Amino acid sequence: MAMAIAQHRESSSGSITRHLDSTGKYVRYTSEQVEALERVYAECPKPSSLRRQQLVRECPILSNIEPKQIKVWFQNRRCREKQRKEASRLQTVNRKLNAMNKLLMEENDRLQKQVSQLVCENGFMRQQLQTVPAAATTDASCDSVVTTPQPSRRDANNAAGLLSIAEETLAEFLSKATGTAVDWVQMPGMKPGPDSVGIFAISQSCGGVAARACGLVSLESSKIAEILKDRPSWFRDCRSLEVFTMFPAGNGGTIELVYTQVYAPTTLAPARDFWTLRYTTTLENGSLVVCERSLSGSGAGPSAAAAAQFVRAEMLPSGYLIRPCEGGGSIIHIVDHLNLEAWNVPEVLRPLYESSKVVAQKMTIAALRYIRQIAQETSGEVVYGLGRQPAVLRTFSQRLSRGFNDAVNGFNDNGWSLINCEGAEDVVLAVNSTKNFGTTSNPANSLTYPGGVLCAKASMLLQNVSPAVLVRFLREHRSEWADFNIDAYSAATLKANSYAYPGMRPTRFTGSQIIMPLGHTIENEELLEVIRLEGHPMVQEDAFVSRDIHLLQICSGIDENAVGACSELIFAPIDEMFPDDAPLLPSGFRIIPLDSRSSDAKGSQRTLDLTSSLEVGCGTSNAAGDASSSPSSRSVLTIAFQFPFESSMQDNVTNMAHQYVRSVISSVQRVAMAISPSGGSPALGPKLSPGSPEALTLAHWICKSYSFQLGSELIRSDSLESDSVLKNLWNHQDAILCCSLKQALPVFLFANQSGLDMLETTLVALQDITLDKIFDESGRKALCSDFPKLMQQGFAYLPGGICASTMGRHVSYEQAIAWKVLEADETTVHCLAFSFINWSFV
């Protein structure tokens, strides 16, 4: 049907409008008919709606209009609405592009000023170098050309002195935000572009550490200032912010005296606090400014008792410049300039306190991302799972992070006290007998533990380990390090009077975990999800009782190419009903890279299973060689686990927590060694084990040897000469395992997915399993009797029987085939391969 979409005209007759029908003729409608059609369209905008047809029939005023003409009117109406929406969207995009173009022009002007200043300084330095002897004998006044800003000496004990400090702070902040007071360089790894959140820079040489950001945000200036001044809402490391004094300034602004506490990221150094003056004012051009700086004097601020566990740090002039844009939105400039007093932290941690890049990642970029997140949520661009409101899910993420930071820091004013503090002990135990877990929105739903909460925590150094890869492994392979019964114990405490330690009902973890995503930030740097661990009771009378465990979890920093301050995996047991004000007791891992250069270098792409070799092929060894030749990288791992207890069971829970965390540490260290480029991981290194071929080559040897020895094909012959051979072998329905003959006891070096499922293990732990451990007595006897035949003719058929998984479960199989795997020369035996046919758990 031919339609004229854009041809809608109104006649000058007032109450009569004309519309084109499907034949191109004008049809006259009265204003009452148009209003009736608009009402029907507003209630049922979808075409071919039975409800729409019913509403049309119920309107007597539309009875004299043909149904065909009404249909055309609705089609034209829908097209006009689409056109209006598209025009509105294009106008919004155009306004954003104009604002971004203005921002880029200003940034270009600033860079040109910086270049001019550098040229002048370069010329001056050349002149000084040429006249050094004369200058040394005459006058040294030229030494004052390059000066370092000195702290203000204004009197901070009266309003006039504070106003003078505020004006100085404003001038210095503006010179950093839009001027050349700091030598800014582009943030490594953050290239500006159409998809970038903003423009980011860090200081190259200045006192302290500094970072700068500017970007376009679709929010009003006052709203942005309100959000940014509430620092604990977006800065995860901010423990508290308290305004002690607030009074108006003479120019319409406000001056505040603020005390801020910031968490320590590890257990190895104390937390920081700040005593600052914050000045909020409006400039003549309509821009809103919030600037802040520390007040002099280490003893200034709140009482010494409140700051006993903190080290006083200094905030140099910093803040936010927010300029409204025409047509809506704002351009925001952010500057963070700090002196974190790195001299009193261990030498190994000083890169965390002396790096401008870390400040940019944790504060400056986080602030701009949070504002952009709020803007998208306000506009309805963000859709979250399970019908949750964005603010609710954001609160869950903040509570998980805050609870983990509380556990890591263990402040006395929160009720924490150390149980053991021996220097030689790697696991620190702390107890909180007064902890009350709940929410401020509904204190009635808070959860008070009768005995308290015990925290076992530790920090350790890791070498040559990618934090992203390690956290991704911990997230995807929970069974490698976690104990299901410990998770069950923690989950049981969510229910009233359900403490069951040490006599919990026996439950078996199936090894299956289901990840249900809830939401993510705008650049996917943080994920919020619910984890369901499937468990089955081992007692018959509990067969119909669900033993599943649900965990609320945040995971961040799992993209190796993304720029982030750290990688985290923080989780807490939660009731399956998942109420908005559910109590949370977080535990988890935090891995922070210590060498700034390590995050700039692009590490080799490594995955957690052998199927990655399909894309890498023979180039795997080269990629791994590049990674191994890169400079040594270091990172610090912090672990904190919390365990609720009753007073009568504190000693039992203390012993259990200590042993469990040490077990987790051992598992993480084993995984870290495996995924290190210099480690001997069968899954992540360039080879399956020291001296063995690459995964793709071994797959070819396994399949060709099977065909040579048994005269039949293990996989389709048309895929033997392509890279899909490993994929087909990996996905083969039979359990295929290979073991080396170079040790006294044959050790497994490879298994496909079915083999790993049968053994209930992973490729990382496979090399710890010997061949004799999986067979029962009859299976070992059958293998010993057929072993000479196997070595003589190259293969052997083993009768069906029973073997055991690493979890102690019995596995039955109809038949097993064993054959020698020959290397490329077809004479050297590389290993033995086994294929277990039609296996199943008994």
Side-chain angles (χ1 to χ4, degrees), residues 237-241 259-263 272-274 306-307 310 411 413:
D237 285 353
C238 182
R239 185 195 183 208
S240 64
L241 185 148
Y259 177 64
T260 306
Q261 294 180 345
V262 178
Y263 290 110
R272 264 54 181 165
D273 65 351
F274 298 88
F310 296 86
F411 294 115
D413 56 0

Side-chain angles (χ1 to χ4, degrees), residues 151-157 165 275-277 293-301 312 314-315:
S152 174
R153 300 183 181 275
R154 302 288 186 179
D155 186 5
N157 296 321
I165 295 175
W275 176 243
T276 58
L277 177 146
R293 76 176 303 164
S294 288
L295 294 176
S296 60
S298 60
R312 180 62 51 86
E314 180 185 6
M315 178 181 294

Side-chain angles (χ1 to χ4, degrees), residues 546-607:
S546 174
R547 296 297 179 188
D548 293 349
I549 295 173
H550 295 81
L551 303 173
L552 183 65
Q553 177 173 280
I554 55 172
C555 183
S556 62
I558 59 175
D559 184 359
E560 292 181 83
N561 297 319
V563 176
C566 64
S567 300
E568 292 181 333
L569 183 69
I570 303 173
F571 51 88
I574 194 168
D575 187 83
E576 59 185 1
M577 299 304 295
F578 191 16
D580 292 347
D581 53 357
L584 299 177
L585 191 65
S587 303
F589 308 86
R590 172 183 292 148
I591 309 173
I592 309 175
L594 292 175
D595 298 330
S596 58
R597 66 179 183 274
S598 64
S599 58
D600 301 337
K602 293 186 184 246
S604 60
Q605 297 296 322
R606 302 184 302 275
T607 57

Side-chain angles (χ1 to χ4, degrees), residues 17-67:
T17 58
R18 296 187 301 165
H19 297 262
L20 286 175
D21 66 4
S22 60
T23 63
K25 297 180 180 179
Y26 282 105
V27 179
R28 292 175 178 269
Y29 297 101
T30 65
S31 58
E32 291 81 2
Q33 289 174 332
V34 172
E35 291 177 359
L37 290 170
E38 289 286 356
R39 286 196 301 270
V40 173
Y41 182 83
E43 186 167 348
C44 297
K46 294 183 180 181
S48 303
S49 172
L50 296 177
R51 175 61 178 164
R52 175 189 287 182
Q53 298 174 13
Q54 180 182 356
L55 290 174
V56 170
R57 288 194 299 267
E58 291 176 355
C59 290
I61 197 171
L62 302 178
S63 60
N64 60 342
I65 304 177
E66 295 182 5

